[in-house]
């Protein structure tokens, strides 16, 4: 596992992971919609790739394949939206699913085919705890992450017995600039009070969350584990240990109450 591709490498988890793996001696290809955001990262092989464009995905992957390909792919690129379901535009919904689900799925078709021919490989899909514990007023984000979790499980089943691994990495809140970059619909005449309360909790949690280096180190662990697990969690103890454990045994009604209380909406 010496050659790595990381989507969304220009900021947040992707940037920290790229730097961490470069420091460990890996050759790292990093993607972004803008090459300018990548060119300042010393040692990084910058690849322009817009997950909203099929042509851009194909072009970016072709450059990587011509350079010899990769052993490890980390689907990390992200986007978010906060606002009520009723007010979210259809275009915004489609954009979010394109970046978080459809774009990575298209890239993965190419990756899986390459890994099979190569005879080995590791595919890490970065999903989210939000895919199993929905975040109020981030319904589309949670839905897209849930879809990506299901897709990752299905891909792992379909490729069982192949010579490469498929891993689901589920971070909780990680301290990045995600909230600043997220599209916001915070003005809402009907839901204003609830929306404001939820946003205050969401924003506070992110500011107090673990450093993104913990994700980079977890990816390093996944590489070294060589098939020990299929699903990994990373983040604070409650979100990544207690909450998923309770979800397995609690009723849906109790889970709803817990989420309402957590975001101060009860």
């Amino acid at each position: 596992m010496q050659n790595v591709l990381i989507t969304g490498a220009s900021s947040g988890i992707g940037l920290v992971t790229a730097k961490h793996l470069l420091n460990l001696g890996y050759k790292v290809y990093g993607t972004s919609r803008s090459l300018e955001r990548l060119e300042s990262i010393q040692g990084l092989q910058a690849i322009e790739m817009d997950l909203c464009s099929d042509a851009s995905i194909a072009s970016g992957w072709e450059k990587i394949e011509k350079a010899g390909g990769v052993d490890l792919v980390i689907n990390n690129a992200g986007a978010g939206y906060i606002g009520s379901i009723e007010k979210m535009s259809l275009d915004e919904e489609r954009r979010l699913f394109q970046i978080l689900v459809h774009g990575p799925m298209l890239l993965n078709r190419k990756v899986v085919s390459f890994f099979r021919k190569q005879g080995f490989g590791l595919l890490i899909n970065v999903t989210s705890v939000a895919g199993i514990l929905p975040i109020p007023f981030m319904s589309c984000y949670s839905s897209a992450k849930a879809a990506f979790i299901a897709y990752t499980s299905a891909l792992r089943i379909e490729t069982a017995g192949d010579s490469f691994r498929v891993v689901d990495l589920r971070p909780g809140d990680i301290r990045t600039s995600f909230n600043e970059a997220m599209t916001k619909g915070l003005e809402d005449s009907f839901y204003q009070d609830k929306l404001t309360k939820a946003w205050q909790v969401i924003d506070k949690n992110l500011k107090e969350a673990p450093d993104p280096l913990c994700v980079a180190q977890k990816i390093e662990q996944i590489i070294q584990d060589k098939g020990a697990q299929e699903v990994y969690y990373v983040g604070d103890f409650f979100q990544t240990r207690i909450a998923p454990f309770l979800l397995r045994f609690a009723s849906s009604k109790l889970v709803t109450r817990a989420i309402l209380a957590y975001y101060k909406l009860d």
Side-chain angles (χ1 to χ4, degrees), residues 10 28 42 82 91 110-111 121 177 226 237 239 241 258:
S10 61
V28 181
Q42 188 174 2
I82 182 166
D91 285 344
K110 301 176 186 300
V111 171
S177 59
K226 301 186 185 300
F237 186 77
Q239 290 184 354
R241 292 288 191 273

Side-chain angles (χ1 to χ4, degrees), residues 10-256:
S10 61
S11 63
I13 290 171
L15 175 60
V16 172
T17 301
K19 289 181 176 179
H20 183 67
L21 294 180
L22 282 167
N23 288 337
L24 292 175
Y26 291 85
K27 181 178 181 180
V28 181
Y29 296 89
T31 79
S32 175
R33 288 173 296 172
S34 171
L35 285 178
E36 292 178 0
R37 301 184 67 187
L38 297 171
E39 288 171 347
S40 62
I41 306 169
Q42 188 174 2
L44 185 75
Q45 309 297 309
I47 300 289
E48 185 176 358
M49 186 181 290
D50 183 353
L51 291 177
C52 289
S53 166
D54 292 356
S56 178
I57 293 169
S59 174
W61 176 253
E62 185 180 2
K63 290 174 184 175
I64 293 165
E65 210 165 4
K66 282 183 177 178
V70 290
D71 315 313
L72 164 62
V73 172
I74 304 168
N75 278 300
N76 160 79
Y81 177 89
I82 182 166
S84 68
I85 295 173
E86 293 171 62
K87 294 290 180 69
M88 187 177 188
S89 71
L90 185 57
D91 285 344
E92 187 62 33
E93 287 179 15
R94 286 172 172 158
R95 185 186 77 88
L96 218 57
F97 266 82
Q98 179 64 36
I99 294 170
L100 299 178
V101 184
H102 300 310
M105 285 175 67
L106 176 56
L107 176 60
N108 283 349
R109 290 188 196 122
K110 301 176 186 300
V111 171
V112 166
S113 178
F114 179 81
F115 281 174
R116 186 172 289 115
K117 292 174 185 174
Q118 180 172 257
F120 64 92
L122 171 58
L123 173 62
I124 300 175
N125 286 335
V126 180
T127 61
S128 175
V129 172
I132 58 171
L133 288 165
I135 303 173
F137 300 104
M138 290 184 65
S139 58
C140 193
Y141 177 81
S142 292
S143 300
K145 288 298 185 180
F148 205 35
I149 286 172
Y151 160 80
T152 303
S153 297
L155 180 61
R156 188 186 305 112
I157 293 166
E158 288 183 20
T159 60
D162 276 315
S163 55
F164 54 86
R165 296 166 57 200
V166 178
V167 172
D168 179 353
L169 175 59
R170 301 177 185 175
D173 284 320
I174 302 296
R175 191 171 68 251
T176 67
S177 59
F178 182 83
N179 281 0
E180 285 77 7
M182 181 164 55
T183 305
K184 300 176 181 67
L186 293 173
E187 301 298 323
D188 192 305
S189 57
F190 185 77
Y191 292 105
Q192 193 64 64
D193 183 53
K194 288 184 176 181
L195 185 52
T196 299
K197 287 179 179 178
W199 170 245
Q200 287 172 347
V201 175
I202 291 165
D203 199 42
K204 179 176 181 289
N205 285 350
L206 201 74
K207 289 174 180 175
E208 297 175 354
D211 188 274
L213 181 60
C214 71
V215 183
Q217 291 170 336
K218 182 64 70 172
I219 288 170
E220 182 186 356
Q221 178 193 335
I222 293 169
I223 296 168
Q224 295 170 349
D225 275 355
K226 301 186 185 300
Q229 293 175 228
E230 297 176 345
V231 178
Y232 291 79
Y233 290 89
V234 59
D236 74 44
F237 186 77
F238 176 79
Q239 290 184 354
T240 63
R241 292 288 191 273
I242 303 300
F245 178 79
L246 292 175
L247 185 64
R248 294 176 59 188
F249 300 102
S251 67
S252 59
K253 191 171 184 178
L254 185 59
V255 171
T256 298

